[in-house]
Amino acid sequence: MKFQNILTAHPFEGFHNTIQQFRADHAERRRARAVYDRTWRELSAMSGRDRAEIGIHSSDIPRIASEAAVMSRKTS
């Protein structure tokens, strides 16, 4: 490593990058959780009859909400 490279590298650059990645990951988890919560609320607000018409049982709501959250992470 040349002396120039040593002087231009900031001693906390790795730490800074780790913090930035943590923030980005946290924001992504919050977005996915928001999709989960919104899906859960919307499906729970439907009547049993309405859910039955589209083939969803109340016990399916957590799985469907989880799948929606996972799909939202893949598309962003």
Side-chain angles (χ1 to χ4, degrees):
M1 181 182 272
K2 292 183 178 180
F3 186 67
Q4 288 176 326
N5 293 342
I6 293 172
L7 292 178
T8 58
H10 193 277
F12 294 113
E13 184 176 352
F15 179 71
H16 177 72
N17 292 341
T18 301
I19 296 297
Q20 291 300 101
Q21 186 61 49
F22 173 80
R23 287 181 175 170
D25 292 345
H26 182 68
E28 181 61 33
R29 285 190 303 272
R30 287 183 58 161
R31 282 190 292 275
R33 182 60 193 211
V35 169
Y36 178 91
D37 290 342
R38 185 176 63 243
T39 304
W40 179 285
R41 271 192 317 273
E42 290 176 1
L43 291 174
S44 295
M46 294 174 73
S47 70
R49 182 174 292 193
D50 289 340
R51 283 194 308 264
E53 285 181 8
I54 60 174
I56 296 175
H57 190 270
S58 59
S59 64
D60 295 330
I61 293 174
R63 178 186 52 81
I64 294 169
S66 292
E67 290 173 0
V70 167
M71 288 175 51
S72 74
R73 293 183 89 175
K74 290 180 181 179
T75 59
S76 17

